[in-house]
Each structure stands twice: as C-alpha cells, then as structure tokens.
Amino acid sequence: MAGDLTSQAGELLLSAHRTGVGVEPDMPAPQSRADAYAIQDHVLRQLGSAIAWKIGRAANDPEPYIAPIPKLGIVRPDGRCVLPPGAAQLGVEAELGMRLGKEITPEMATLGRAECLALFSHVVPLLEILHTRLAGANAAAPLWKLADFQASGGVVLGAPIAWTGQDLASVQVMVNGEAREARHPFGDPLELLHWAVRHLARRGGAPTGTVLTTGSYTGITQVGAGERFEAEFSRFGEVRTQVISPGH
C-alpha cells in the first residue's frame, strides 16, 4: 500500500477515534497484513503509546495477528465505559493479559520461547471493550478490521498478580455471578505471546508495564447503557465495568 494511501487511511481512522463517529473508507483496502500494520502505526503515533496489545489467530490462518489498544479511548480512568455517538451497546470480553516486567527491544526479534516468556512478570484480569470505527461493509473486511485495531475500543485492567507459570489454558470464571468453565480459544496462549514479543521487537519494541492479551474466555457480551459487567477468574482475581451514556 503506497505511503500516501497509508496516511489517508490512518487519518480517516484517527478522526473516528477522536469523534467516536464511524467512517466508511472510499479508498482501496489494505492488500496485506503489512499494510494494515502500517496503518495501525500511523494512528498509534498520533494517539500515543499502547496500554495493551491484543493477539489472535483466525481459524483458517496459522499466522497470528496483533493490534494495539491505546490509552485514549472510551474507557474512563474509573473503569466505566462511555457509549460512542449512535451506539446502543458495547461488546465486552473477559480475558487474561500478561504484563511485561521488562521492555521489549528491537534486539529481541529472534528470542526463543523461554526467553520471551521470561519478560512477563504478572497476569492481569481484564475486560476488552469492542467498538469498531468502521461503518458499512468495511467493518467486516478482515484487513480493514485489522487496520482499525481489530475493533478494540479500550481495556479495563484488574489488579495484577505475580506470574509464576500458572496454567492459562483452562480457568473457571464467574460472569455477572454465573459460573463458567472456560478454555482458552487458542489452546496454549503462551505460543501466541512468543510470536507477539518477536513481532513487537521488529516494530520497535514495547515498554515495561505493557499488557499483552490473547483472547476471550467468555465470548462477546453486549452491554448497554446503565448495565454492568463483572468477571471473576479463579486464581486470577476480578475486573468490572459499567457502560454509561455520554455526559454521565
């Protein structure tokens, strides 16, 4: 994707981040993940550093994908989430993130799995808040969605606990008081973390304290204005939010 198109796409998405109003690009779509990542980088440079990165993998593609979750967004400092203009609900996913105890540097692009995992110091219960900046058919187009931070609108972080090699593949979680037995959607999330550390190293690194999250244990729950969402993980603590209307 040519540099001018990357900038145009980035500026269009940036305007949607700032106004909360969805946009429908009238330009060629990204042609590759490299194009989508270039657009991500353009937007992130304007918004500031990422508080977290989300990692996933499509069912029909062995190559993972990654997207930043910026500090600015629809999540308030008190953990409540503000509905963007025109939105009636927000998607919420309960997840476990891993917090970096050491920074990722460009020299780490070839580290082995054990060395990559040694960079993490804490497990963090969290809620990812989903909201696309895209309108129309582009909201479902995979590469536009990736350019748009994989539809991430923000993250609510719970209290971290020390990482001592706990099993993350299978956990028990209470969602709004309802008990669920949950398995990680990708089986072994540690392999995704290994890939993500090396990917971020190639993109310039990530500072100490950044959280990497690898997928929902509970699927997406739609939460409307005035409604609360709370997840309590066995062994990993709890995290909660409330969705509120603008102006509250």
Side-chain angles (χ1 to χ4, degrees), residues 28-242:
Q31 297 301 299
S32 66
R33 287 190 177 175
D35 288 347
Y37 292 145
I39 296 170
Q40 287 183 5
D41 290 341
H42 180 95
V43 176
L44 192 60
R45 281 193 296 270
Q46 305 302 314
L47 294 179
S49 61
I51 190 173
W53 290 80
K54 62 179 294 184
I55 315 158
R57 186 177 63 231
N60 60 350
D61 191 339
E63 174 76 5
Y65 59 75
I66 190 168
I69 305 176
K71 292 181 180 179
L72 298 178
I74 57 182
V75 179
R76 288 188 171 182
D78 63 4
R80 296 187 297 171
C81 300
V82 182
L83 281 171
Q89 295 177 316
L90 292 171
V92 181
E93 295 183 327
E95 308 184 18
L96 292 173
M98 295 286 284
R99 191 170 77 175
L100 288 168
K102 301 177 182 178
E103 69 173 320
I104 298 173
T105 64
E107 295 76 25
M108 295 177 177
T110 59
L111 281 186
R113 173 178 163 131
E115 291 82 3
C116 287
L117 296 182
L119 299 173
F120 297 97
S121 60
H122 291 81
V123 184
V124 184
L126 63 87
L127 303 177
E128 185 188 354
I129 311 302
L130 299 174
H131 179 69
T132 180
R133 267 70 52 179
L134 296 165
N138 286 321
L143 290 175
W144 270 122
K145 184 177 179 181
L146 184 59
D148 182 37
F149 297 177
Q150 202 64 21
S152 183
V155 66
V156 181
L157 301 177
I161 69 166
W163 164 243
T164 58
Q166 298 97 318
D167 177 24
L168 302 181
S170 181
V171 302
Q172 291 181 328
V173 59
M174 299 275 290
V175 175
N176 292 340
E178 176 188 344
R180 301 185 189 180
E181 186 77 25
R183 290 197 60 80
H184 192 275
F186 304 115
D188 177 13
L190 301 183
E191 190 58 37
L192 292 182
L193 292 169
H194 176 205
W195 175 88
V197 167
R198 301 202 301 184
H199 174 93
L200 290 175
R202 292 192 294 271
R203 285 173 72 173
T208 301
T210 303
V211 173
L212 275 64
T213 183
T214 61
S216 172
Y217 289 86
T218 61
I220 301 172
T221 299
Q222 296 297 327
V223 182
E227 297 178 342
R228 299 176 183 272
F229 184 98
E230 178 177 326
E232 181 178 355
F233 290 90
S234 60
R235 300 177 286 123
F236 299 110
E238 63 182 18
V239 59
R240 61 176 60 87
T241 191
Q242 180 183 22

